[in-house]
């Protein structure tokens, strides 16, 4: 049995966006009837639904589905989690890595749910500052750990492709709650995400 790839799209949304993308092609001076772009409006409509699927996801349900009672009370760090999002100002991509840590308070979360949680918020029109805050608060409010920390490092195509066109710039945002507001705990986390332990 071979690999089967499956995506589900709203027919209504696809048709509406197809018309809009067709108008964009005309607006930029492209011949929308040219062979190479005949199917571009439909492809773009489906791509946009995929890239913004976070609007249909529930972060709290994802966390609660994989919460387990555990007496472990030391730091849990998941670092270098790839993320891709769309800037809400220009609808251009920004991409990078997220580093997440928490200190359990009676419950742990399945490790795969942390990257999944990041996708819930990254797959929306975003700004990096709010993305950081959304991830932080979802973990803090649902898992209720002793502390949680989130750091995101990202490159923004709206700065690289247009505007100031600075190719090597990156943006770092961070958020800390609970025990991570203490400098020694925060420093331990920052040291762990900056070191190569493998």
């Amino acid at each position: 049995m071979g690999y089967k790839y499956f995506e589900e799209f709203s027919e209504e949304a696809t048709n509406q966006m197809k018309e809009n993308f067709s108008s964009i092609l005309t607006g930029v001076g492209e011949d929308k009837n040219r062979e190479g772009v005949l199917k571009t409006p439909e492809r773009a409509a489906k791509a946009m639904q995929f890239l913004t699927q976070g609007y249909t996801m529930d972060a709290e349900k994802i966390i609660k589905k994989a919460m387990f009672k555990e007496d472990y009370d030391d730091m849990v760090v998941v670092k270098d989690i790839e993320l891709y999002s769309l800037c809400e100002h220009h609808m251009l991509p920004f991409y990078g890595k997220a580093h997440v840590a928490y200190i359990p308070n009676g419950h742990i979360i399945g490790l795969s749910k942390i990257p999944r949680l990041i996708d819930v918020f990254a797959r929306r029109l975003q700004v990096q500052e709010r993305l950081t805050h959304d991830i932080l608060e979802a973990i803090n409010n649902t898992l209720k750990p002793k502390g949680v920390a989130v750091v995101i490092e990202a490159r923004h195509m709206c700065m690289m492709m247009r505007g100031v066109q600075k190719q090597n710039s990156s943006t770092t945002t961070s958020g800390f709650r609970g025990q991570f507001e203490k400098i020694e705990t925060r420093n331990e986390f920052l040291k762990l995400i900056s070191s190569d332990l493998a």
Side-chain angles (χ1 to χ4, degrees):
M1 184 67 70
Y3 174 75
K4 187 175 181 182
Y5 182 71
F6 177 74
E7 290 181 331
E8 189 173 345
F9 301 101
S10 160
E11 186 176 348
E12 181 182 352
T14 300
N15 289 334
Q16 181 182 355
M17 283 192 276
K18 270 173 62 176
E19 294 299 318
N20 294 331
F21 280 116
S22 183
S23 297
I24 289 170
L25 286 176
T26 302
V28 300
E30 182 57 79
D31 175 6
K32 67 181 181 180
N33 296 312
R34 186 169 63 81
E35 182 183 14
V37 295
L38 270 177
K39 294 187 177 179
T40 296
E42 181 176 356
R43 291 188 189 108
K46 289 179 177 179
M48 187 57 66
Q49 288 177 75
F50 177 81
L51 295 172
T52 58
Q53 62 186 290
Y55 289 114
T56 65
M57 298 176 179
D58 188 321
E60 185 176 328
K61 284 183 181 177
I62 287 172
I63 294 173
K64 286 185 173 178
K65 194 174 181 180
M67 280 177 60
F68 308 101
K69 287 186 178 180
E70 190 61 54
D71 289 334
Y72 186 85
D73 60 0
D74 289 310
M75 192 183 302
V76 178
V77 181
V78 184
K79 70 176 191 174
D80 296 331
I81 305 165
E82 294 177 7
L83 69 84
Y84 302 90
S85 192
L86 290 175
C87 150
E88 67 181 32
H89 300 137
H90 304 98
M91 294 179 70
L92 288 172
F94 66 94
Y95 62 94
K97 293 180 178 179
H99 314 286
V100 177
Y102 71 96
I103 299 172
N105 187 21
H107 289 86
I108 59 171
I109 182 175
L111 294 178
S112 68
K113 300 307 178 197
I114 293 177
R116 218 175 276 273
L117 173 68
I118 289 168
D119 279 347
V120 169
F121 298 112
R123 298 295 189 186
R124 302 177 184 189
L125 299 182
Q126 274 288 10
V127 294
Q128 186 175 330
E129 297 87 342
R130 185 171 66 245
L131 176 58
T132 305
H133 178 266
D134 287 346
I135 297 165
L136 182 81
E137 292 303 324
I139 295 171
N140 195 52
N141 295 337
T142 307
L143 190 60
K144 301 191 184 308
K146 294 177 182 176
V148 58
V150 177
V151 170
I152 294 177
E153 305 167 88
R155 294 183 180 273
H156 293 248
M157 299 306 283
C158 59
M159 286 182 66
M160 297 166 71
M161 290 180 66
R162 60 166 300 284
V164 294
Q165 298 181 56
K166 299 303 179 189
Q167 306 305 312
N168 298 311
S169 64
S170 64
T171 302
T172 301
T173 49
S174 63
F176 305 97
R177 293 289 183 274
Q179 290 188 14
F180 286 96
E181 294 176 276
K182 298 177 182 177
I183 192 68
E184 60 271 20
T185 310
R186 184 182 307 189
N187 284 345
E188 180 185 350
F189 165 67
L190 295 174
K191 184 178 179 181
L192 286 169
I193 65 173
S194 62
S195 62
D196 185 3
L197 301 176

